[in-house]
Amino acid sequence: MVSEKSFELPDLNLGTATEAELAQWLQRHGSKVVFHQGRYWLVSHAHFYQPVHWLARFKAHELIKPSAWCWGYRATLDEGSKELANAALPIHIFDQLSGFGLSMLPGNKRRNLRVCEKNVEIRTVFDLNTLAEQGYPLYHSFFSRTRYGHLRPRTIFEKQIRKYFDAGFTTVLGGFVKGRLGGYLIGMCVEKTAYINMLIVGTEQLPLQISTGLKYAFLKYLSEHKPHITEVADGLHALENPGLCRYKELLGFRVIPIPCAVWMLPGCKTFIKHRWPHKYYRIMGHY
């Protein structure tokens, strides 16, 4: 039998950012942000624009090209603007936070939690040095295993994680094995949405089910302490990685296509579709 106390986070006091606060935080840490028509846009990939808060749900009058240099943008839509949708954001969403607990998990995930409970201590990480020193080897191991993203040198890794320790709406949760970090989750709360920004577990620690324990602890905390949070986002759907998708689905993260508006300069969609079909899918919601 799993003890809920093993996954409690009594010292965590996670705040919630507004869209403006998220934009200011991103800008402070080097991201290019544009304010246009009352909304904040993040500039990425050579002037492709998307909201700083992916699930902000824009209104029709806010869907205006945010910059003359913009070659494309994507934004999710609110209920009153869904008729403008020409695409969908395929994202893993957990939206059953009310009363969340062990009874909502399938039997195999409860067994995974028992394994985690026996071997791992889940707690909040408040010390940047702990994550910088013990987290980098885990990040390196994760990249070697998955080839996901780009492997950064230690100095860049430390710079990137530093920002998560200076905002009241972000948190780092760690899974410790015999006192050393074996995996970590970075999350944040923005308005009605919580995001799982990063979940890294070392290859040697995979059998200990740290990732399941970290996600469960985060969802349980949100359920008990953040009643205004109605959805938790856990990354875009990666059809090319069915194992990862199945893992998320078993924890209750369904792939929900959020209606969105996408605009690109003529020819860009065709080029991306042929050059990077999986990226095209994550922009448009279809191949």
Side-chain angles (χ1 to χ4, degrees), residues 18-277:
T18 63
E19 185 179 325
E21 289 170 337
L22 175 62
Q24 291 163 9
W25 175 72
L26 288 169
Q27 203 163 27
R28 188 166 71 247
H29 288 283
S31 296
K32 186 176 180 181
V33 175
V34 171
F35 182 69
H36 188 69
Q37 289 294 112
R39 307 309 293 257
Y40 293 88
W41 296 82
L42 181 66
V43 187
S44 61
H45 302 303
H47 296 283
F48 184 80
Y49 287 66
Q50 55 189 337
V52 295
H53 174 17
W54 276 14
L55 297 177
R57 272 67 164 203
F58 279 36
K59 299 182 186 300
H61 71 273
E62 297 167 333
L63 291 172
I64 297 176
K65 186 179 175 182
S67 167
W69 297 101
C70 170
W71 63 264
Y73 68 74
R74 174 184 65 191
T76 56
L77 300 168
D78 73 354
E79 286 291 329
S81 306
K82 284 185 177 180
E83 72 278 1
L84 300 176
N86 63 348
L89 184 70
I91 191 166
H92 290 273
I93 295 287
F94 186 92
D95 57 2
Q96 303 176 52
L97 282 171
S98 178
F100 175 75
L102 291 170
S103 62
M104 297 177 67
L105 298 181
N108 65 330
K109 290 304 169 186
R110 291 197 296 271
R111 288 192 293 272
N112 289 349
L113 283 179
R114 283 197 292 272
V115 172
C116 181
E117 182 182 30
K118 291 177 181 178
N119 298 280
V120 182
E121 179 189 3
I122 303 291
R123 66 174 188 263
T124 310
V125 179
F126 294 105
D127 180 24
L128 169 62
N129 291 330
T130 298
L131 187 57
E133 294 171 6
Q134 299 181 28
Y136 185 75
L138 301 176
Y139 160 73
H140 198 286
S141 173
F142 169 84
F143 178 82
S144 299
R145 180 178 76 249
T146 66
R147 298 293 169 180
Y148 178 78
H150 302 281
L151 182 62
R152 311 293 188 188
R154 184 184 291 268
T155 53
I156 301 300
F157 171 81
E158 292 182 7
K159 181 180 179 181
Q160 290 178 333
I161 63 170
R162 185 177 298 275
K163 64 177 179 284
Y164 295 108
F165 290 85
D166 75 349
F169 57 88
T170 61
T171 186
V172 179
L173 306 182
F176 291 83
V177 182
K178 297 180 180 178
R180 287 194 62 82
L181 193 64
Y184 58 91
L185 178 152
I186 297 178
M188 65 169 58
C189 292
V190 184
E191 298 184 339
K192 296 181 180 180
T193 305
Y195 291 94
I196 295 177
N197 290 45
M198 194 181 303
L199 179 57
I200 303 293
V201 176
T203 301
E204 291 184 7
Q205 292 80 15
L206 284 177
L208 304 181
Q209 303 298 331
I210 295 175
S211 59
T212 301
L214 288 170
K215 278 191 179 180
Y216 181 80
F218 188 53
L219 293 175
K220 188 67 174 173
Y221 174 85
L222 295 172
S223 172
E224 295 177 348
H225 300 279
K226 309 292 285 184
H228 65 283
I229 297 292
T230 60
E231 59 188 5
V232 185
D234 187 18
L236 297 178
H237 186 206
L239 269 176
E240 70 275 23
N241 191 342
L244 176 63
C245 297
R246 179 61 177 159
Y247 165 75
K248 292 182 179 183
E249 289 168 4
L250 287 172
L251 276 172
F253 286 86
R254 298 177 295 133
V255 179
I256 299 180
I258 309 295
C260 64
V262 174
W263 173 86
M264 295 185 200
L265 288 173
C268 289
K269 285 184 182 179
T270 301
F271 175 76
I272 295 172
K273 183 175 183 179
H274 286 90
R275 181 67 178 83
W276 301 291

Side-chain angles (χ1 to χ4, degrees), residues 2-24:
V2 179
S3 170
E4 293 281 11
K5 287 190 175 182
S6 299
F7 300 95
E8 290 179 353
L9 302 165
D11 52 0
L12 177 58
N13 183 21
L14 183 59
T16 303
T18 63
E19 185 179 325
E21 289 170 337
L22 175 62
Q24 291 163 9

